[in-house]
Amino acid sequence: QVQLVESGGGLVQAGGSLRLSCTASGRTFRLYTKAWFRQAPGKEREFVAAISWTGGVTFYADSVKGRFTISRSNAEDAVYLQMNSVNSEDTAVYYCAATQDGVSRNMGQYKYWGQGTQVTVSS
C-alpha cells in the first residue's frame, strides 16, 4: 500500500518548537515535490510549505514564513517541517503530500497524501 506517514506532532507551548517528519512507504517519492498542508478545526485545508525534489526550491505560506522551515532527505525519502515560534493559529492537523509536478500551493496537484499528525499549541 502506497502511503506517506507523518510523525512528530503533539502538544507544544506557544513560542516553542516542534519538528514534523514524513516518510514514504510502499514506493519511493525521492523524485517528487513534497509539501506540508494543515487543517484547523472548522477551516479548510491550507498550504504551509513545499520543496522541490532537489531541495533547491522552497515555497512558504506568508503565515509561516520566517518561522517554519521545510527540508528533505532523499536518502531517507523523507520530508521535514521545523516549526519555531509557534502560536495558537498553528494548531491544526498537518498533512504531507507529494506530486510529480513542480512546487505549488495548489492542493489539487498533490496526488499522494498522508493521514495527518495533530499539532496543538497551548497558551
Side-chain angles (χ1 to χ4, degrees):
Q1 182 179 359
V2 176
Q3 57 180 339
L4 296 167
V5 181
E6 302 95 339
S7 62
L11 181 65
V12 59
Q13 286 190 328
S17 298
L18 204 62
R19 188 188 193 219
L20 306 182
S21 300
C22 174
T23 56
S25 176
R27 66 168 293 166
T28 178
F29 291 97
R30 289 184 173 85
L31 300 183
Y32 282 57
T33 292
K34 294 180 178 177
W36 289 94
F37 290 79
R38 67 185 181 185
Q39 187 166 17
K43 295 187 177 180
E44 294 186 351
R45 193 171 300 188
E46 65 176 4
F47 171 79
V48 176
I51 187 166
S52 63
W53 76 270
T54 64
V57 177
T58 56
F59 186 39
Y60 295 91
D62 288 344
S63 59
V64 306
K65 199 174 296 182
R67 299 188 299 121
F68 291 9
T69 301
I70 189 171
S71 62
R72 66 187 295 158
S73 166
N74 286 344
E76 298 178 350
D77 204 357
V79 63
Y80 309 99
L81 186 69
Q82 178 66 42
M83 307 168 59
N84 297 331
S85 302
V86 297
N87 56 59
S88 59
E89 295 184 348
D90 297 320
T91 293
V93 177
Y94 283 73
Y95 300 89
C96 69
T99 178
Q100 289 181 291
D101 297 333
V103 169
S104 171
R105 65 168 58 239
N106 184 354
M107 193 166 56
Q109 288 189 215
Y110 292 84
K111 180 178 179 181
Y112 300 96
W113 290 83
Q115 294 299 307
T117 185
Q118 176 71 48
V119 172
T120 303
V121 180
S122 64
S123 57

